[in-house]
Amino acid sequence: MDLELKGKVAIVTGGSKGIGLGIVGRLLAEGAHVVNVNRSEAEGLQLEREAAAAGQQCLFVQGDLSDTTSCHRAVEKTLQAFGRIDILVNNAGVNDGVGLDAGVDAFLDSLRRNLIHYYAMAHYALNALKKSRGVIINIGSKVCETGQGGTSGYAASKGGINGLTREWAVDLAPHGVRVNAVLPAETWTPLYEKCLAAMPDPAGAKAHLEELIPLGRRFTTIEELADMAVFLASPRSSHTTGQIIFVDGGYTHLDRKCTVRDVSTFGAAANS
Ligand code: NAP
């Protein structure tokens, strides 16, 4: 299927690593021009060089998104370089473990790391997106529905992202701008690997998590997440807006009985 993304201009926040990098790779492969907003200059410039070597354009804009002036600068640089914005992928975020006991200042800082820049990017890109009848993809998290404990700032941010996805879909429908959210639960990224590596039994911890994922008893891959995001960003999903889509192997919503290994002992499968 031709996703009709050739020549489109996309901004991806946090595009140097993990899910963001997967989305950048897919967009470039489809012929889009990408602007990657990230903190590390070394990583961003390396990606820019690798893309250029493959005949692709992946402009790096350095900045910490928790400072909204970086968001403004990223949009301005995109418009200077390409003159248009067709796709905004709000992806950067971190589960920073700011719990109820952390205090109001820490909570506000967590919102700055996880939520405020989603609004800021959309706000600064608004006129360009209206002009192009563009698309916004927000990357969320299952934590907004399940909770996790000890992470109020992240949970509030991800809940806010779902709310903003619906709100912006309504707001921008008259302008032909579509807005959708893609929610991971357990996606295997370098960061996830690093987190588990800090545990006493990383392989055991990974195996335990995998047991809880009904479809395939495995983590979602970065590519599976990126494929959904890029499809939703493409004109091929031209009548889909305001949707909150879980790419999680059924982890968040399927019957809890599915989280045990021998599903055949439960429900209809047991009677067949
Ligand atoms: P990741 O591997 O840590 O990649 C995130 C990227 O975003 C990194 O390049 C990071 O840069 C960048 N970034 C983060 N905060 C930034 C900031 N304030 N300014 C500029 N760049 C920033 O994370 P990931 O697992 O791919 O997560 C991507 C999104 O998916 C996040 O919104 C996350 O909440 C969501 N998510 C992931 C999972 C999962 O299982 N992986 C589950 C649920 C939700 P640095 O290297 O400088 O930090």
Side-chain angles (χ1 to χ4, degrees), residues 2-267:
D2 176 7
L3 293 181
E4 299 171 14
L5 285 166
K6 204 168 167 30
K8 300 271 187 201
V9 176
I11 303 180
V12 181
T13 67
S16 298
K17 278 202 191 92
I19 292 167
L21 178 60
I23 293 170
V24 167
R26 284 293 196 256
L27 285 167
L28 291 173
E30 293 295 326
H33 308 305
V34 178
V35 176
N36 165 32
V37 193
N38 226 304
R39 280 186 283 238
S40 160
E41 198 162 72
E43 287 172 3
L45 290 178
Q46 188 184 331
L47 189 55
E48 194 177 285
R49 281 192 296 273
E50 282 168 10
Q56 301 161 335
Q57 264 185 302
C58 182
L59 178 70
F60 173 61
V61 177
Q62 197 280 332
D64 185 331
L65 292 150
S66 57
D67 173 0
T68 55
T69 57
S70 298
C71 303
H72 196 193
R73 210 161 56 85
V75 168
E76 292 296 304
K77 291 226 165 208
T78 306
L79 290 172
Q80 278 163 21
F82 298 107
R84 59 184 293 135
I85 302 168
D86 300 288
I87 299 163
L88 167 63
V89 182
N90 280 318
N91 161 75
V94 59
N95 192 344
D96 48 8
V98 174
L100 264 174
D101 55 350
V104 173
D105 289 344
F107 180 73
L108 288 171
D109 282 345
S110 179
L111 297 189
R112 280 186 203 100
R113 284 190 284 270
N114 287 297
L115 176 65
I116 308 299
H117 58 84
Y118 277 50
Y119 175 89
M121 290 299 300
H123 169 72
Y124 292 126
L126 187 61
N127 287 338
L129 288 168
K130 282 181 180 172
K131 211 165 155 188
S132 67
R133 299 175 77 79
V135 185
I136 300 174
I137 304 293
N138 291 325
I139 304 299
S141 167
K142 63 111 173 35
V143 169
C144 67
E145 291 219 352
T146 60
Q148 184 178 285
T151 196
S152 296
Y154 185 71
S157 298
K158 294 303 188 182
I161 287 164
N162 282 11
L164 290 176
T165 299
R166 290 261 152 82
E167 165 63 12
W168 295 345
V170 173
D171 221 357
L172 299 178
H175 301 278
V177 175
R178 297 183 301 106
V179 187
N180 292 290
V182 179
L183 274 59
E186 310 296 345
T187 300
W188 192 245
T189 59
L191 182 76
Y192 215 127
E193 192 167 6
K194 208 163 121 193
C195 288
L196 291 191
M199 293 184 168
D201 175 14
K206 186 177 184 213
H208 175 67
L209 280 163
E210 284 171 337
E211 281 296 299
L212 303 175
I213 301 167
L215 190 63
R217 306 285 164 191
R218 62 169 177 80
F219 278 74
T220 306
T221 66
I222 286 170
E223 291 72 25
E224 287 167 327
L225 235 298
D227 282 345
M228 177 58 76
V230 171
F231 172 70
L232 288 170
S234 82
R236 289 294 185 162
S237 64
S238 51
H239 213 216
T240 302
T241 196
Q243 299 306 303
I244 293 165
I245 298 187
F246 288 75
V247 180
D248 68 349
Y251 178 87
T252 311
H253 293 100
L254 297 191
D255 193 320
R256 291 296 91 197
K257 293 194 290 291
C258 293
T259 61
V260 296
R261 171 48 101 178
D262 187 5
V263 74
S264 66
T265 59
F266 289 100

